[in-house]
Amino acid sequence: MTKKRRSSAWYGKHDKDGFIHRSWMKNQGFPDHAFDGRPVIGICNTWSELTPCNSGLRDLAEGVKRGVWEAGGFPVEFPVMSLGETQMKPTAMLFRNLLAMDVEESIRAYGIDGVVLLGGCDKTTPGQLMGAASVDLPTIVVSSGPMLNGKWKGKDIGSGTDVWKFSEAVRAGEMTLQDFMNAESGMSRSKGVCMTMGTASTMASVVEAMGMSLPTNAALPAVDSRRMALAHLTGKRIVEMVDEDIKPSDIMTREAFENAILANAAVGGSTNAVVHLLAMAGRVGVDLALDDFELGSEIPLLVNCMPSGKYLMEDFCYAGGMPVVLSELVKQGHLRNAQTVLGGDIHAYADGAECYNDDVIQSFDSPVKPAAGLRVLRGNLAPRGAIIKPSAASDHLLDHEGEAYVFDNIEDMKANIDRDDLPVTADSILVLKGCGPKGYPGMPEVGNMPIPRRLITQGIKDMIRISDARMSGTAFGTVILHVSPEAQAGGPLALVKTGDRIRVSTSTGALELLISDAEMDARRASWQPDEPHYTRGYAKMYVDHVLQADKGADLDFLVGKDTRPVTRESH
């Protein structure tokens, strides 16, 4: 007996309500037999001209529709909020949870049986998955794919990574402003996400490693015809997934999240994967904690892509992409058994994988860097943890003690970082407050503070920087991020003063403010939070309800899921 589909409660009723649901859909030219009980597939699209990374998703939606029709389904495309990482102020991260709400409620409210998530730009992938997981209908991801390699003066240049390098070179007097401006057009040569291993490509990579997309989804360039073919195959597969009743809760298991952590380490992935994976885990009820990311700390860096290496995502694709990385993890016995959207085990994604350039994708025996996964730091400065990315840091700074220079907020930093009399040395530790989930608000990507001009003109390229902020996945440096609790929530970061000594030990996982407990208590007694930046609307709700970074910065009332059917009609 065929299982009654969810969509039949909309389109299978022979009464006033069924009439309304079907008739108004028919004004788009759909014939009667489109409502014959076949699976209705929602195509959840984050296309927007204000999200350049996702500007190719309209085309991919057409590919998905072809596959859905071929498999006997009924595709319906719907828009959700789009988060343009490079365009939104104060930060796209402020709106990740709003996108998740949009996705969740759209899926719940409409008569669909399964959903294809079309995302790409940094926050769109996790935001969509968070929302979809909270409804738990059959779900599969198609990413927009990376841009073609950037080009300038005959060389490859990478999104974000070379922005930071070029910007610092201008400040150091090593690059002219005209050259800087000329490089702008050559960096972004096609539709797609950053072609470095930034957050967008990181999330596409871990989604593939979790089995929430078809194999090769992570690395195929946005403009490669094979991505359109992948979209077609994804449309075909989601219809089959509805019949097989494969849901996010079947795929996004503890083992899948562990595979994501391992893959993130192997590809040199973004620190932002931490807050996104924690939030996603909270939606499906997987008890994932910050310390679980230590699982990847001993995994070597295999993918030689910026910002931790020298190549770009187009090169990664041509070298074999994520199947090769998964194959390496399989060979070493690291990859966990976990179900995928194909119904089988994730190990199948590695079957037959072949590396075509062993300088781009290296092996466990000869990695780009050993033991390069993210590290979790704790201590009296970060009781609930902070993170650092050793693969993008300077080795000589990973264990260091120095004197703090404190910026109370982002305006303080921007106003003073280029002062000629700024009292800092290469051994100083820059501290930035007020940039956490509540404080900024939204936890922006400002943790990779510029090197002070007086130091960069001396040839200093890196120094320790500590904040409650995030940094772009395309960025690099010895940057300690996500300090939790944040300053605005009364965390010890709020109590640091210029001149305090701080000890960082990546080898032992320590982050210590070297003052006495009595002094800490005295400072805490006199501390007051800053006045909130927002007093109404979504931003106020966000500040009132956002969790700290070590919990994924989701809203407290969104954690978990609600799979109950909606039974009440609107007319």
Side-chain angles (χ1 to χ4, degrees):
M1 182 178 176
T2 303
K3 180 181 177 182
K4 191 174 183 180
R5 302 195 193 283
R6 180 178 184 270
S7 59
S8 67
W10 280 257
Y11 304 119
K13 297 164 71 173
H14 298 286
D15 58 11
K16 170 179 64 72
D17 296 322
F19 181 107
I20 291 171
H21 293 310
R22 289 187 300 272
S23 181
W24 267 258
M25 287 292 284
K26 287 179 178 179
N27 80 356
Q28 301 171 80
F30 294 122
D32 288 342
H33 70 266
F35 305 95
D36 61 5
R38 65 186 64 200
V40 179
I41 304 300
I43 301 173
C44 177
N45 200 342
T46 56
W47 172 91
S48 170
E49 289 182 342
L50 286 170
T51 307
C53 300
N54 295 6
S55 60
L57 292 181
R58 269 183 169 172
D59 294 336
L60 289 183
E62 294 306 312
V64 173
K65 290 175 186 178
R66 292 196 315 232
V68 172
W69 285 120
E70 179 190 348
F74 176 17
V76 284
E77 183 181 355
F78 63 95
V80 289
M81 186 178 191
S82 190
L83 309 181
E85 180 66 34
T86 60
Q87 309 299 315
M88 299 187 85
K89 294 184 180 183
T91 171
M93 183 62 177
L94 176 62
F95 306 105
R96 182 201 65 180
N97 301 333
L98 183 57
L99 168 62
M101 293 173 72
D102 187 354
V103 172
E104 176 179 348
E105 301 306 337
S106 294
I107 293 172
R108 178 176 290 115
Y110 285 115
I112 58 178
D113 302 299
V115 62
V116 178
L117 304 178
L118 298 185
C121 194
D122 298 13
K123 313 303 179 290
T124 55
T125 298
Q128 286 180 296
L129 277 167
M130 289 161 63
S134 287
V135 188
D136 206 27
L137 297 185
T139 299
I140 191 170
V141 174
V142 179
S143 302
S144 56
M147 288 186 275
L148 297 176
N149 290 358
K151 298 286 183 180
W152 182 65
K153 289 191 172 182
K155 298 179 180 178
D156 284 351
I157 58 173
S159 303
T161 303
D162 280 312
V163 175
W164 320 131
K165 289 181 180 179
F166 293 166
S167 177
E168 296 292 77
V170 172
R171 295 174 65 242
E174 299 168 355
M175 184 180 192
T176 68
L177 182 59
Q178 187 60 56
D179 274 350
F180 181 74
M181 300 303 292
N182 289 344
E184 183 177 303
S185 297
M187 183 165 285
S188 304
R189 298 173 48 239
S190 76
K191 297 176 181 179
V193 303
C194 297
M195 83 299 284
T196 46
M197 188 59 75
T199 303
S201 288
T202 293
M203 292 310 299
S205 297
V206 300
V207 162
E208 185 172 334
M210 293 179 76
M212 281 300 297
S213 72
L214 294 181
T216 73
N217 173 70
L220 285 169
V223 294
D224 194 311
S225 61
R226 291 173 294 177
R227 183 160 291 280
M228 179 62 89
L230 184 78
H232 185 130
L233 293 171
T234 300
K236 185 172 182 291
R237 179 58 195 156
I238 188 62
V239 175
E240 297 165 350
M241 288 175 65
V242 169
D243 288 335
E244 297 165 17
D245 198 28
I246 298 175
K247 303 180 298 295
S249 57
D250 300 315
I251 301 169
M252 297 169 65
T253 60
R254 170 77 190 193
E255 292 77 14
F257 281 101
E258 291 183 359
N259 285 339
I261 291 170
L262 294 166
N264 188 57
V267 302
S270 170
T271 52
N272 292 312
V274 177
V275 289
H276 297 326
L277 288 171
L278 287 169
M280 289 159 55
R283 296 302 186 99
V284 291
V286 170
D287 185 18
L288 194 70
L290 188 61
D291 286 341
D292 289 318
F293 287 82
E294 285 286 331
L295 177 67
S297 62
E298 297 303 313
I299 296 295
L301 177 64
L302 303 182
V303 178
N304 193 8
C305 278
M306 297 182 192
S308 297
K310 65 180 181 180
Y311 292 103
L312 297 169
M313 288 298 294
E314 191 178 349
D315 308 303
F316 179 45
C317 173
Y318 303 153
M322 279 305 294
V324 177
V325 176
L326 296 177
S327 176
E328 284 294 318
L329 291 170
V330 169
K331 290 175 186 175
Q332 301 300 317
H334 289 299
L335 199 67
R336 279 58 169 158
N337 293 111
Q339 187 176 345
T340 73
V341 292
L342 287 176
D345 190 82
I346 188 63
H347 285 68
Y349 282 33
D351 288 350
E354 185 176 351
C355 181
Y356 303 111
N357 187 331
D358 60 11
D359 194 38
V360 177
I361 308 176
Q362 300 186 16
S363 66
F364 270 76
D365 295 333
S366 180
V368 183
K369 294 181 182 179
L374 303 180
R375 294 301 308 268
V376 177
L377 306 180
R378 292 186 185 274
N380 69 346
L381 187 51
R384 287 167 54 178
I387 58 171
I388 187 170
K389 183 178 179 179
S391 68
S394 298
D395 291 342
H396 72 282
L397 292 173
L398 291 175
D399 289 272
H400 180 78
E401 183 179 316
E403 195 171 280
Y405 187 87
V406 177
F407 299 107
D408 287 327
N409 51 52
I410 191 68
E411 289 78 18
D412 183 15
M413 188 275 288
K414 289 187 174 183
N416 291 288
I417 195 71
D418 282 342
R419 276 174 39 205
D420 292 333
D421 63 344
L422 197 70
V424 293
T425 70
D427 290 327
S428 298
I429 295 177
L430 301 183
V431 175
L432 175 61
K433 304 177 183 180
C435 295
K438 293 179 181 292
Y440 201 75
M443 204 181 177
E445 296 182 341
V446 297
N448 55 318
M449 290 170 268
I451 303 300
R453 186 168 61 190
R454 63 169 298 185
L455 297 181
I456 202 167
T457 55
Q458 298 172 23
I460 305 300
K461 302 295 186 185
D462 193 15
M463 59 193 302
I464 293 180
R465 289 152 279 179
I466 301 174
S467 74
D468 45 12
R470 300 176 299 113
M471 76 173 179
S472 167
T474 68
F476 53 90
T478 311
V479 185
I480 296 169
L481 303 153
H482 308 190
V483 172
S484 185
E486 65 174 296
Q488 182 66 6
L493 185 70
L495 311 178
V496 183
K497 295 182 177 180
T498 294
D500 289 344
R501 294 193 69 79
I502 295 174
R503 180 184 299 130
V504 176
S505 177
T506 304
S507 60
T508 62
L511 180 58
E512 299 287 346
L513 176 61
L514 303 180
I515 62 174
S516 67
D517 290 344
E519 176 64 16
M520 185 84 86
D521 291 341
R523 292 183 187 183
R524 182 174 287 111
S526 62
W527 174 81
Q528 292 291 326
D530 292 336
E531 289 296 315
H533 292 278
Y534 296 92
T535 58
R536 61 171 300 280
Y538 168 75
K540 182 183 187 305
M541 181 178 73
Y542 176 94
V543 170
D544 290 346
H545 291 279
V546 68
L547 299 171
Q548 288 294 287
D550 65 306
K551 300 297 183 183
D554 200 356
L555 302 186
D556 53 16
F557 61 85
L558 292 178
V559 176
K561 59 186 176 182
D562 184 353
T563 62
R564 295 174 300 170
V566 180
T567 57
R568 291 180 172 177
E569 290 281 356
S570 63
H571 296 90

